[in-house]
Amino acid sequence: MGVLNVTPDSFSDGGRWLDPAIAVAHGTRMHRDGADIVDVGGESTRPGAQRISIDEELDRVVPVVAGLVAASVPVSVDTMRPGVAQAALDAGACLVNDVSGGRADDGMLPWLATVDVPYIAMHWRGPSDVMASLATYDDVVAEVVAELQQRLDALSEAGVDLARVVVDPGIGFAKEADHNWMLLRELAQIQALGHPVLVGASRKRFLGSLLADGSGQPRPVEQRDYATDAITALAAGAGAWGVRVHDVRGGRDAVAVAAAWRAGQQI
Ligand code: PMM
């Protein structure tokens, strides 16, 4: 899954793809480079980010979704709002990626029951402006698994067919670095929920701190792709359904290596 943030303020690619034509060109390039799907988001979720209005989100997202669909690129929409998700589906998107797992908007789950598309439910504890204060766990893996299970139960109660639900541990969302590493180490426990698992670690802050220089300066965002590729290879090797990355070429190579490694032959 290639990341396409049509926002002024996302931590990695904020401001680069605000012009719809440039965004569509970049998304098309990611698809050509091997992204199976391009994930279009109009609202930044970086730590501390403020919410934007639905009109602003629609203005950012819909033209880009439509442009990519016109170029035959499979598109997912990264949104917490059912109104934006519906508009994106109307424009041809084929998957809904909700970082709040339906918790940010009470209308998401009832709406989801009325459509028939795959849905990614990410582990989320609260909006970006407060999530840092919610990163408290006794046992991060057990709690994330339990909270994802609650989302699956809520989805089922709302009438959503669970066969179309992907789960995501929400790397970096109300998580400190060691929470992220523990969740990655124990990915099998997320997979034991019985759903495909998406991992979104690309260029995130915990990679910056892992690769800090001698004086403790974090590795800059644009120099975190090799580490991201290592996570992709390990996640794919562990059987993740998908990875959400900015640099698709490196990610694709990492997936190819993991697939050959698992198969014991070139495939
Ligand atoms: N991370 C971000 C945004 N959307 N969606 C899913 N399912 N999983 C993630 O980990 C995730 C996401 C934030 O990263 P970005 O600013 O690079 O988009």
Side-chain angles (χ1 to χ4, degrees), residues 1 3-5 7 9-14 39 43-46 78 97-99 120-122 167-173 198-204 244-246:
M1 173 183 276
V3 179
L4 184 54
N5 289 316
T7 64
D9 54 344
S10 288
F11 77 96
S12 166
D13 56 349
D39 190 40
E43 180 171 37
S44 172
T45 51
R46 69 179 295 158
D78 185 345
N97 173 26
D98 177 0
V99 298
I120 298 170
M122 199 192 80
V167 295
D168 180 332
I171 298 297
F173 286 79
L198 179 76
V199 172
S202 187
R203 298 181 180 169
K204 283 186 179 171
R244 182 181 177 280
V245 299
H246 301 85

PDB file of all heavy atoms in Angstrom, residues 1 3-5 7 9-14 39 43-46 78 97-99 120-122 167-173 198-204 244-246, ligand 1:
ATOM      1  N   MET A   1       0.856  -1.185   0.000  1.00  0.00           N
ATOM      2  CA  MET A   1       0.000   0.000   0.000  1.00  0.00           C
ATOM      3  C   MET A   1       0.895   1.240   0.000  1.00  0.00           C
ATOM      4  O   MET A   1       1.730   1.402   0.890  1.00  0.00           O
ATOM      5  CB  MET A   1      -0.895  -0.034   1.258  1.00  0.00           C
ATOM      6  CG  MET A   1      -1.717   1.211   1.466  1.00  0.00           C
ATOM      7  SD  MET A   1      -2.676   1.124   3.005  1.00  0.00           S
ATOM      8  CE  MET A   1      -4.108   0.208   2.471  1.00  0.00           C
ATOM      9  N   VAL A   3       1.552   5.255   0.359  1.00  0.00           N
ATOM     10  CA  VAL A   3       0.971   6.364   1.129  1.00  0.00           C
ATOM     11  C   VAL A   3       0.891   7.626   0.262  1.00  0.00           C
ATOM     12  O   VAL A   3       1.894   8.047  -0.312  1.00  0.00           O
ATOM     13  CB  VAL A   3       1.850   6.692   2.359  1.00  0.00           C
ATOM     14  CG1 VAL A   3       1.259   7.852   3.151  1.00  0.00           C
ATOM     15  CG2 VAL A   3       2.039   5.466   3.235  1.00  0.00           C
ATOM     16  N   LEU A   4      -0.293   8.211   0.205  1.00  0.00           N
ATOM     17  CA  LEU A   4      -0.451   9.478  -0.512  1.00  0.00           C
ATOM     18  C   LEU A   4      -1.258  10.435   0.361  1.00  0.00           C
ATOM     19  O   LEU A   4      -2.489  10.396   0.386  1.00  0.00           O
ATOM     20  CB  LEU A   4      -1.156   9.226  -1.855  1.00  0.00           C
ATOM     21  CG  LEU A   4      -1.336  10.426  -2.787  1.00  0.00           C
ATOM     22  CD1 LEU A   4      -0.013  11.123  -3.067  1.00  0.00           C
ATOM     23  CD2 LEU A   4      -1.958   9.988  -4.108  1.00  0.00           C
ATOM     24  N   ASN A   5      -0.531  11.247   1.114  1.00  0.00           N
ATOM     25  CA  ASN A   5      -1.188  12.209   2.009  1.00  0.00           C
ATOM     26  C   ASN A   5      -1.370  13.542   1.304  1.00  0.00           C
ATOM     27  O   ASN A   5      -0.392  14.215   0.982  1.00  0.00           O
ATOM     28  CB  ASN A   5      -0.347  12.410   3.278  1.00  0.00           C
ATOM     29  CG  ASN A   5      -0.384  11.186   4.172  1.00  0.00           C
ATOM     30  OD1 ASN A   5      -1.448  10.610   4.390  1.00  0.00           O
ATOM     31  ND2 ASN A   5       0.766  10.777   4.672  1.00  0.00           N
ATOM     32  N   THR A   7      -2.140  16.476   2.284  1.00  0.00           N
ATOM     33  CA  THR A   7      -2.241  17.330   3.476  1.00  0.00           C
ATOM     34  C   THR A   7      -1.069  18.297   3.481  1.00  0.00           C
ATOM     35  O   THR A   7      -0.018  18.009   2.897  1.00  0.00           O
ATOM     36  CB  THR A   7      -2.136  16.490   4.768  1.00  0.00           C
ATOM     37  OG1 THR A   7      -0.834  15.901   4.804  1.00  0.00           O
ATOM     38  CG2 THR A   7      -3.182  15.402   4.831  1.00  0.00           C
ATOM     39  N   ASP A   9       0.477  18.974   6.266  1.00  0.00           N
ATOM     40  CA  ASP A   9       1.203  18.818   7.524  1.00  0.00           C
ATOM     41  C   ASP A   9       1.502  17.384   7.946  1.00  0.00           C
ATOM     42  O   ASP A   9       1.849  17.148   9.101  1.00  0.00           O
ATOM     43  CB  ASP A   9       0.406  19.503   8.648  1.00  0.00           C
ATOM     44  CG  ASP A   9      -1.036  19.010   8.747  1.00  0.00           C
ATOM     45  OD1 ASP A   9      -1.502  18.390   7.783  1.00  0.00           O
ATOM     46  OD2 ASP A   9      -1.671  19.246   9.777  1.00  0.00           O
ATOM     47  N   SER A  10       1.380  16.394   7.034  1.00  0.00           N
ATOM     48  CA  SER A  10       1.766  15.041   7.453  1.00  0.00           C
ATOM     49  C   SER A  10       3.265  15.011   7.709  1.00  0.00           C
ATOM     50  O   SER A  10       4.023  15.768   7.092  1.00  0.00           O
ATOM     51  CB  SER A  10       1.380  14.019   6.379  1.00  0.00           C
ATOM     52  OG  SER A  10      -0.004  13.858   6.365  1.00  0.00           O
ATOM     53  N   PHE A  11       3.711  14.119   8.607  1.00  0.00           N
ATOM     54  CA  PHE A  11       5.093  14.245   9.069  1.00  0.00           C
ATOM     55  C   PHE A  11       6.104  13.926   7.979  1.00  0.00           C
ATOM     56  O   PHE A  11       7.210  14.447   7.992  1.00  0.00           O
ATOM     57  CB  PHE A  11       5.339  13.356  10.304  1.00  0.00           C
ATOM     58  CG  PHE A  11       5.505  11.897   9.989  1.00  0.00           C
ATOM     59  CD1 PHE A  11       6.768  11.350   9.849  1.00  0.00           C
ATOM     60  CD2 PHE A  11       4.414  11.074   9.828  1.00  0.00           C
ATOM     61  CE1 PHE A  11       6.945  10.005   9.569  1.00  0.00           C
ATOM     62  CE2 PHE A  11       4.573   9.730   9.540  1.00  0.00           C
ATOM     63  CZ  PHE A  11       5.826   9.190   9.403  1.00  0.00           C
ATOM     64  N   SER A  12       5.724  13.084   7.032  1.00  0.00           N
ATOM     65  CA  SER A  12       6.717  12.679   6.046  1.00  0.00           C
ATOM     66  C   SER A  12       6.537  13.377   4.701  1.00  0.00           C
ATOM     67  O   SER A  12       7.469  13.950   4.155  1.00  0.00           O
ATOM     68  CB  SER A  12       6.643  11.173   5.854  1.00  0.00           C
ATOM     69  OG  SER A  12       7.350  10.812   4.718  1.00  0.00           O
ATOM     70  N   ASP A  13       5.309  13.328   4.181  1.00  0.00           N
ATOM     71  CA  ASP A  13       5.102  13.868   2.832  1.00  0.00           C
ATOM     72  C   ASP A  13       4.174  15.077   2.831  1.00  0.00           C
ATOM     73  O   ASP A  13       3.671  15.484   1.780  1.00  0.00           O
ATOM     74  CB  ASP A  13       4.561  12.784   1.890  1.00  0.00           C
ATOM     75  CG  ASP A  13       3.279  12.129   2.403  1.00  0.00           C
ATOM     76  OD1 ASP A  13       2.912  12.363   3.571  1.00  0.00           O
ATOM     77  OD2 ASP A  13       2.648  11.395   1.629  1.00  0.00           O
ATOM     78  N   GLY A  14       3.957  15.673   4.019  1.00  0.00           N
ATOM     79  CA  GLY A  14       3.038  16.816   4.122  1.00  0.00           C
ATOM     80  C   GLY A  14       3.420  17.940   3.172  1.00  0.00           C
ATOM     81  O   GLY A  14       4.581  18.339   3.109  1.00  0.00           O
ATOM     82  N   ASP A  39      -3.147   4.625  -0.942  1.00  0.00           N
ATOM     83  CA  ASP A  39      -3.985   5.051   0.190  1.00  0.00           C
ATOM     84  C   ASP A  39      -4.013   6.574   0.257  1.00  0.00           C
ATOM     85  O   ASP A  39      -3.018   7.199   0.613  1.00  0.00           O
ATOM     86  CB  ASP A  39      -3.374   4.467   1.469  1.00  0.00           C
ATOM     87  CG  ASP A  39      -4.276   4.620   2.681  1.00  0.00           C
ATOM     88  OD1 ASP A  39      -5.504   4.436   2.531  1.00  0.00           O
ATOM     89  OD2 ASP A  39      -3.757   4.888   3.775  1.00  0.00           O
ATOM     90  N   GLU A  43      -6.435  14.082   5.887  1.00  0.00           N
ATOM     91  CA  GLU A  43      -6.335  14.653   7.237  1.00  0.00           C
ATOM     92  C   GLU A  43      -5.106  14.077   7.923  1.00  0.00           C
ATOM     93  O   GLU A  43      -4.998  12.859   8.095  1.00  0.00           O
ATOM     94  CB  GLU A  43      -7.590  14.293   8.052  1.00  0.00           C
ATOM     95  CG  GLU A  43      -7.563  14.854   9.454  1.00  0.00           C
ATOM     96  CD  GLU A  43      -8.889  14.683  10.197  1.00  0.00           C
ATOM     97  OE1 GLU A  43      -9.558  13.647  10.025  1.00  0.00           O
ATOM     98  OE2 GLU A  43      -9.240  15.597  10.943  1.00  0.00           O
ATOM     99  N   SER A  44      -4.199  14.931   8.331  1.00  0.00           N
ATOM    100  CA  SER A  44      -2.987  14.454   8.988  1.00  0.00           C
ATOM    101  C   SER A  44      -3.317  13.839  10.348  1.00  0.00           C
ATOM    102  O   SER A  44      -4.163  14.347  11.078  1.00  0.00           O
ATOM    103  CB  SER A  44      -2.010  15.610   9.198  1.00  0.00           C
ATOM    104  OG  SER A  44      -0.933  15.173   9.998  1.00  0.00           O
ATOM    105  N   THR A  45      -2.617  12.749  10.673  1.00  0.00           N
ATOM    106  CA  THR A  45      -2.773  12.127  11.990  1.00  0.00           C
ATOM    107  C   THR A  45      -1.471  12.211  12.772  1.00  0.00           C
ATOM    108  O   THR A  45      -1.292  11.477  13.737  1.00  0.00           O
ATOM    109  CB  THR A  45      -3.188  10.649  11.838  1.00  0.00           C
ATOM    110  OG1 THR A  45      -2.282  10.011  10.933  1.00  0.00           O
ATOM    111  CG2 THR A  45      -4.602  10.529  11.329  1.00  0.00           C
ATOM    112  N   ARG A  46      -0.581  13.107  12.349  1.00  0.00           N
ATOM    113  CA  ARG A  46       0.694  13.195  13.063  1.00  0.00           C
ATOM    114  C   ARG A  46       0.416  13.595  14.522  1.00  0.00           C
ATOM    115  O   ARG A  46      -0.573  14.294  14.805  1.00  0.00           O
ATOM    116  CB  ARG A  46       1.628  14.214  12.402  1.00  0.00           C
ATOM    117  CG  ARG A  46       1.176  15.652  12.544  1.00  0.00           C
ATOM    118  CD  ARG A  46       2.154  16.605  11.897  1.00  0.00           C
ATOM    119  NE  ARG A  46       3.428  16.604  12.547  1.00  0.00           N
ATOM    120  CZ  ARG A  46       4.564  16.993  11.967  1.00  0.00           C
ATOM    121  NH1 ARG A  46       4.559  17.375  10.700  1.00  0.00           N
ATOM    122  NH2 ARG A  46       5.684  16.999  12.629  1.00  0.00           N
ATOM    123  N   ASP A  78      -8.107   6.933   3.315  1.00  0.00           N
ATOM    124  CA  ASP A  78      -7.684   6.963   4.716  1.00  0.00           C
ATOM    125  C   ASP A  78      -8.497   8.060   5.404  1.00  0.00           C
ATOM    126  O   ASP A  78      -8.171   9.242   5.303  1.00  0.00           O
ATOM    127  CB  ASP A  78      -6.180   7.281   4.747  1.00  0.00           C
ATOM    128  CG  ASP A  78      -5.575   7.237   6.144  1.00  0.00           C
ATOM    129  OD1 ASP A  78      -6.345   7.237   7.125  1.00  0.00           O
ATOM    130  OD2 ASP A  78      -4.339   7.209   6.246  1.00  0.00           O
ATOM    131  N   ASN A  97      -9.851   2.797   4.891  1.00  0.00           N
ATOM    132  CA  ASN A  97      -8.817   2.656   5.917  1.00  0.00           C
ATOM    133  C   ASN A  97      -9.119   3.676   7.015  1.00  0.00           C
ATOM    134  O   ASN A  97      -8.961   4.874   6.808  1.00  0.00           O
ATOM    135  CB  ASN A  97      -7.448   2.919   5.285  1.00  0.00           C
ATOM    136  CG  ASN A  97      -6.328   2.964   6.303  1.00  0.00           C
ATOM    137  OD1 ASN A  97      -6.426   2.353   7.380  1.00  0.00           O
ATOM    138  ND2 ASN A  97      -5.254   3.678   5.987  1.00  0.00           N
ATOM    139  N   ASP A  98      -9.546   3.181   8.159  1.00  0.00           N
ATOM    140  CA  ASP A  98      -9.993   4.070   9.245  1.00  0.00           C
ATOM    141  C   ASP A  98      -9.046   3.916  10.434  1.00  0.00           C
ATOM    142  O   ASP A  98      -9.092   2.901  11.143  1.00  0.00           O
ATOM    143  CB  ASP A  98     -11.428   3.687   9.623  1.00  0.00           C
ATOM    144  CG  ASP A  98     -11.984   4.502  10.788  1.00  0.00           C
ATOM    145  OD1 ASP A  98     -11.261   5.373  11.307  1.00  0.00           O
ATOM    146  OD2 ASP A  98     -13.141   4.240  11.176  1.00  0.00           O
ATOM    147  N   VAL A  99      -8.198   4.916  10.653  1.00  0.00           N
ATOM    148  CA  VAL A  99      -7.221   4.797  11.740  1.00  0.00           C
ATOM    149  C   VAL A  99      -7.888   4.736  13.112  1.00  0.00           C
ATOM    150  O   VAL A  99      -7.249   4.354  14.094  1.00  0.00           O
ATOM    151  CB  VAL A  99      -6.159   5.925  11.735  1.00  0.00           C
ATOM    152  CG1 VAL A  99      -5.324   5.905  10.462  1.00  0.00           C
ATOM    153  CG2 VAL A  99      -6.776   7.284  11.975  1.00  0.00           C
ATOM    154  N   ILE A 120     -10.232  -1.436   6.911  1.00  0.00           N
ATOM    155  CA  ILE A 120      -9.090  -1.603   7.815  1.00  0.00           C
ATOM    156  C   ILE A 120      -9.424  -0.915   9.129  1.00  0.00           C
ATOM    157  O   ILE A 120      -9.675   0.298   9.162  1.00  0.00           O
ATOM    158  CB  ILE A 120      -7.804  -1.001   7.215  1.00  0.00           C
ATOM    159  CG1 ILE A 120      -7.459  -1.728   5.911  1.00  0.00           C
ATOM    160  CG2 ILE A 120      -6.649  -1.093   8.221  1.00  0.00           C
ATOM    161  CD1 ILE A 120      -6.347  -1.075   5.112  1.00  0.00           C
ATOM    162  N   ALA A 121      -9.439  -1.693  10.204  1.00  0.00           N
ATOM    163  CA  ALA A 121      -9.716  -1.161  11.546  1.00  0.00           C
ATOM    164  C   ALA A 121      -8.396  -1.103  12.305  1.00  0.00           C
ATOM    165  O   ALA A 121      -7.816  -2.141  12.645  1.00  0.00           O
ATOM    166  CB  ALA A 121     -10.708  -2.071  12.278  1.00  0.00           C
ATOM    167  N   MET A 122      -7.927   0.110  12.539  1.00  0.00           N
ATOM    168  CA  MET A 122      -6.658   0.274  13.242  1.00  0.00           C
ATOM    169  C   MET A 122      -6.882   0.464  14.735  1.00  0.00           C
ATOM    170  O   MET A 122      -7.903   1.007  15.145  1.00  0.00           O
ATOM    171  CB  MET A 122      -5.909   1.485  12.653  1.00  0.00           C
ATOM    172  CG  MET A 122      -4.421   1.480  12.958  1.00  0.00           C
ATOM    173  SD  MET A 122      -3.637   3.065  12.568  1.00  0.00           S
ATOM    174  CE  MET A 122      -4.126   4.000  14.029  1.00  0.00           C
ATOM    175  N   VAL A 167      -7.164  -5.916  10.295  1.00  0.00           N
ATOM    176  CA  VAL A 167      -6.809  -5.215  11.531  1.00  0.00           C
ATOM    177  C   VAL A 167      -5.373  -4.689  11.457  1.00  0.00           C
ATOM    178  O   VAL A 167      -4.553  -5.188  10.679  1.00  0.00           O
ATOM    179  CB  VAL A 167      -6.988  -6.097  12.797  1.00  0.00           C
ATOM    180  CG1 VAL A 167      -8.452  -6.445  13.010  1.00  0.00           C
ATOM    181  CG2 VAL A 167      -6.118  -7.335  12.724  1.00  0.00           C
ATOM    182  N   ASP A 168      -5.101  -3.681  12.270  1.00  0.00           N
ATOM    183  CA  ASP A 168      -3.813  -2.985  12.224  1.00  0.00           C
ATOM    184  C   ASP A 168      -3.474  -2.559  13.656  1.00  0.00           C
ATOM    185  O   ASP A 168      -4.307  -1.929  14.322  1.00  0.00           O
ATOM    186  CB  ASP A 168      -3.989  -1.757  11.299  1.00  0.00           C
ATOM    187  CG  ASP A 168      -2.738  -0.908  11.131  1.00  0.00           C
ATOM    188  OD1 ASP A 168      -1.897  -0.882  12.045  1.00  0.00           O
ATOM    189  OD2 ASP A 168      -2.626  -0.236  10.094  1.00  0.00           O
ATOM    190  N   PRO A 169      -2.267  -2.899  14.138  1.00  0.00           N
ATOM    191  CA  PRO A 169      -1.932  -2.540  15.525  1.00  0.00           C
ATOM    192  C   PRO A 169      -1.733  -1.050  15.746  1.00  0.00           C
ATOM    193  O   PRO A 169      -1.622  -0.616  16.897  1.00  0.00           O
ATOM    194  CB  PRO A 169      -0.633  -3.310  15.781  1.00  0.00           C
ATOM    195  CG  PRO A 169      -0.041  -3.543  14.437  1.00  0.00           C
ATOM    196  CD  PRO A 169      -1.204  -3.666  13.484  1.00  0.00           C
ATOM    197  N   GLY A 170      -1.685  -0.239  14.699  1.00  0.00           N
ATOM    198  CA  GLY A 170      -1.601   1.213  14.888  1.00  0.00           C
ATOM    199  C   GLY A 170      -0.240   1.647  15.396  1.00  0.00           C
ATOM    200  O   GLY A 170      -0.134   2.351  16.424  1.00  0.00           O
ATOM    201  N   ILE A 171       0.795   1.261  14.674  1.00  0.00           N
ATOM    202  CA  ILE A 171       2.156   1.615  15.083  1.00  0.00           C
ATOM    203  C   ILE A 171       2.269   3.149  15.189  1.00  0.00           C
ATOM    204  O   ILE A 171       1.906   3.874  14.262  1.00  0.00           O
ATOM    205  CB  ILE A 171       3.180   1.059  14.053  1.00  0.00           C
ATOM    206  CG1 ILE A 171       3.116  -0.473  13.991  1.00  0.00           C
ATOM    207  CG2 ILE A 171       4.592   1.555  14.342  1.00  0.00           C
ATOM    208  CD1 ILE A 171       3.471  -1.192  15.258  1.00  0.00           C
ATOM    209  N   GLY A 172       2.727   3.615  16.344  1.00  0.00           N
ATOM    210  CA  GLY A 172       2.933   5.054  16.551  1.00  0.00           C
ATOM    211  C   GLY A 172       1.710   5.816  17.042  1.00  0.00           C
ATOM    212  O   GLY A 172       1.817   6.992  17.373  1.00  0.00           O
ATOM    213  N   PHE A 173       0.565   5.157  17.106  1.00  0.00           N
ATOM    214  CA  PHE A 173      -0.654   5.833  17.574  1.00  0.00           C
ATOM    215  C   PHE A 173      -0.874   5.488  19.043  1.00  0.00           C
ATOM    216  O   PHE A 173      -1.242   4.349  19.375  1.00  0.00           O
ATOM    217  CB  PHE A 173      -1.869   5.381  16.751  1.00  0.00           C
ATOM    218  CG  PHE A 173      -1.922   5.954  15.366  1.00  0.00           C
ATOM    219  CD1 PHE A 173      -1.135   5.424  14.349  1.00  0.00           C
ATOM    220  CD2 PHE A 173      -2.746   7.028  15.064  1.00  0.00           C
ATOM    221  CE1 PHE A 173      -1.171   5.941  13.059  1.00  0.00           C
ATOM    222  CE2 PHE A 173      -2.794   7.558  13.792  1.00  0.00           C
ATOM    223  CZ  PHE A 173      -2.010   7.017  12.783  1.00  0.00           C
ATOM    224  N   LEU A 198      -2.441  -5.460   8.705  1.00  0.00           N
ATOM    225  CA  LEU A 198      -1.679  -4.414   8.014  1.00  0.00           C
ATOM    226  C   LEU A 198      -0.702  -3.791   9.003  1.00  0.00           C
ATOM    227  O   LEU A 198      -1.056  -3.559  10.164  1.00  0.00           O
ATOM    228  CB  LEU A 198      -2.624  -3.330   7.477  1.00  0.00           C
ATOM    229  CG  LEU A 198      -1.940  -2.157   6.761  1.00  0.00           C
ATOM    230  CD1 LEU A 198      -1.485  -2.566   5.358  1.00  0.00           C
ATOM    231  CD2 LEU A 198      -2.866  -0.947   6.651  1.00  0.00           C
ATOM    232  N   VAL A 199       0.517  -3.521   8.522  1.00  0.00           N
ATOM    233  CA  VAL A 199       1.516  -2.846   9.359  1.00  0.00           C
ATOM    234  C   VAL A 199       1.878  -1.505   8.715  1.00  0.00           C
ATOM    235  O   VAL A 199       2.245  -1.451   7.539  1.00  0.00           O
ATOM    236  CB  VAL A 199       2.786  -3.720   9.510  1.00  0.00           C
ATOM    237  CG1 VAL A 199       3.892  -2.942  10.217  1.00  0.00           C
ATOM    238  CG2 VAL A 199       2.465  -5.007  10.276  1.00  0.00           C
ATOM    239  N   GLY A 200       1.757  -0.432   9.497  1.00  0.00           N
ATOM    240  CA  GLY A 200       2.110   0.897   8.995  1.00  0.00           C
ATOM    241  C   GLY A 200       3.210   1.503   9.848  1.00  0.00           C
ATOM    242  O   GLY A 200       2.920   2.204  10.826  1.00  0.00           O
ATOM    243  N   ALA A 201       4.449   1.216   9.490  1.00  0.00           N
ATOM    244  CA  ALA A 201       5.584   1.713  10.298  1.00  0.00           C
ATOM    245  C   ALA A 201       6.421   2.719   9.524  1.00  0.00           C
ATOM    246  O   ALA A 201       7.350   3.305  10.084  1.00  0.00           O
ATOM    247  CB  ALA A 201       6.459   0.537  10.720  1.00  0.00           C
ATOM    248  N   SER A 202       6.073   2.950   8.273  1.00  0.00           N
ATOM    249  CA  SER A 202       6.948   3.672   7.355  1.00  0.00           C
ATOM    250  C   SER A 202       7.414   5.025   7.892  1.00  0.00           C
ATOM    251  O   SER A 202       6.605   5.904   8.203  1.00  0.00           O
ATOM    252  CB  SER A 202       6.199   3.879   6.040  1.00  0.00           C
ATOM    253  OG  SER A 202       7.033   4.427   5.050  1.00  0.00           O
ATOM    254  N   ARG A 203       8.719   5.165   8.007  1.00  0.00           N
ATOM    255  CA  ARG A 203       9.389   6.432   8.374  1.00  0.00           C
ATOM    256  C   ARG A 203       8.955   6.972   9.735  1.00  0.00           C
ATOM    257  O   ARG A 203       9.209   8.147  10.021  1.00  0.00           O
ATOM    258  CB  ARG A 203       9.128   7.511   7.310  1.00  0.00           C
ATOM    259  CG  ARG A 203       9.667   7.161   5.937  1.00  0.00           C
ATOM    260  CD  ARG A 203       9.394   8.290   4.951  1.00  0.00           C
ATOM    261  NE  ARG A 203       9.907   7.971   3.624  1.00  0.00           N
ATOM    262  CZ  ARG A 203       9.638   8.676   2.525  1.00  0.00           C
ATOM    263  NH1 ARG A 203       8.877   9.751   2.614  1.00  0.00           N
ATOM    264  NH2 ARG A 203      10.124   8.312   1.361  1.00  0.00           N
ATOM    265  N   LYS A 204       8.334   6.165  10.557  1.00  0.00           N
ATOM    266  CA  LYS A 204       7.783   6.724  11.802  1.00  0.00           C
ATOM    267  C   LYS A 204       8.879   7.048  12.820  1.00  0.00           C
ATOM    268  O   LYS A 204      10.013   6.605  12.715  1.00  0.00           O
ATOM    269  CB  LYS A 204       6.696   5.792  12.361  1.00  0.00           C
ATOM    270  CG  LYS A 204       5.397   5.965  11.552  1.00  0.00           C
ATOM    271  CD  LYS A 204       4.220   5.194  12.097  1.00  0.00           C
ATOM    272  CE  LYS A 204       2.986   5.483  11.209  1.00  0.00           C
ATOM    273  NZ  LYS A 204       1.851   4.632  11.514  1.00  0.00           N
ATOM    274  N   ARG A 244       2.060  -0.534   4.733  1.00  0.00           N
ATOM    275  CA  ARG A 244       1.709   0.798   4.224  1.00  0.00           C
ATOM    276  C   ARG A 244       2.985   1.621   4.225  1.00  0.00           C
ATOM    277  O   ARG A 244       3.528   1.904   5.293  1.00  0.00           O
ATOM    278  CB  ARG A 244       0.627   1.386   5.134  1.00  0.00           C
ATOM    279  CG  ARG A 244       0.098   2.745   4.735  1.00  0.00           C
ATOM    280  CD  ARG A 244      -0.957   3.205   5.734  1.00  0.00           C
ATOM    281  NE  ARG A 244      -1.437   4.540   5.413  1.00  0.00           N
ATOM    282  CZ  ARG A 244      -0.794   5.660   5.710  1.00  0.00           C
ATOM    283  NH1 ARG A 244       0.352   5.604   6.353  1.00  0.00           N
ATOM    284  NH2 ARG A 244      -1.282   6.827   5.366  1.00  0.00           N
ATOM    285  N   VAL A 245       3.490   1.967   3.031  1.00  0.00           N
ATOM    286  CA  VAL A 245       4.819   2.584   2.940  1.00  0.00           C
ATOM    287  C   VAL A 245       4.834   3.796   2.007  1.00  0.00           C
ATOM    288  O   VAL A 245       4.025   3.898   1.083  1.00  0.00           O
ATOM    289  CB  VAL A 245       5.885   1.576   2.443  1.00  0.00           C
ATOM    290  CG1 VAL A 245       6.021   0.405   3.404  1.00  0.00           C
ATOM    291  CG2 VAL A 245       5.600   1.092   1.032  1.00  0.00           C
ATOM    292  N   HIS A 246       5.811   4.667   2.263  1.00  0.00           N
ATOM    293  CA  HIS A 246       6.005   5.815   1.384  1.00  0.00           C
ATOM    294  C   HIS A 246       6.852   5.446   0.171  1.00  0.00           C
ATOM    295  O   HIS A 246       6.570   5.855  -0.942  1.00  0.00           O
ATOM    296  CB  HIS A 246       6.689   6.963   2.138  1.00  0.00           C
ATOM    297  CG  HIS A 246       5.927   7.445   3.328  1.00  0.00           C
ATOM    298  ND1 HIS A 246       6.026   6.854   4.573  1.00  0.00           N
ATOM    299  CD2 HIS A 246       5.028   8.454   3.465  1.00  0.00           C
ATOM    300  CE1 HIS A 246       5.225   7.487   5.420  1.00  0.00           C
ATOM    301  NE2 HIS A 246       4.608   8.453   4.776  1.00  0.00           N
TER     302      HIS A 246
HETATM  303  N1  PMM B   1      -0.422   5.586   9.827  1.00  0.00           N
HETATM  304  C1  PMM B   1      -0.666   6.823   9.394  1.00  0.00           C
HETATM  305  C2  PMM B   1      -1.825   7.111   8.639  1.00  0.00           C
HETATM  306  N2  PMM B   1      -2.696   6.139   8.317  1.00  0.00           N
HETATM  307  N3  PMM B   1      -3.354   3.890   8.425  1.00  0.00           N
HETATM  308  C3  PMM B   1      -3.145   2.653   8.877  1.00  0.00           C
HETATM  309  N4  PMM B   1      -4.049   1.677   8.601  1.00  0.00           N
HETATM  310  N5  PMM B   1      -2.057   2.316   9.626  1.00  0.00           N
HETATM  311  C4  PMM B   1      -1.116   3.245   9.971  1.00  0.00           C
HETATM  312  O1  PMM B   1      -0.151   2.895  10.670  1.00  0.00           O
HETATM  313  C5  PMM B   1      -1.305   4.592   9.527  1.00  0.00           C
HETATM  314  C6  PMM B   1      -2.462   4.870   8.752  1.00  0.00           C
HETATM  315  C7  PMM B   1       0.277   7.933   9.746  1.00  0.00           C
HETATM  316  O2  PMM B   1       1.374   7.939   8.912  1.00  0.00           O
HETATM  317  P1  PMM B   1       1.523   8.916   7.620  1.00  0.00           P
HETATM  318  O3  PMM B   1       1.567  10.322   8.113  1.00  0.00           O
HETATM  319  O4  PMM B   1       2.779   8.479   6.990  1.00  0.00           O
HETATM  320  O5  PMM B   1       0.349   8.704   6.712  1.00  0.00           O
END
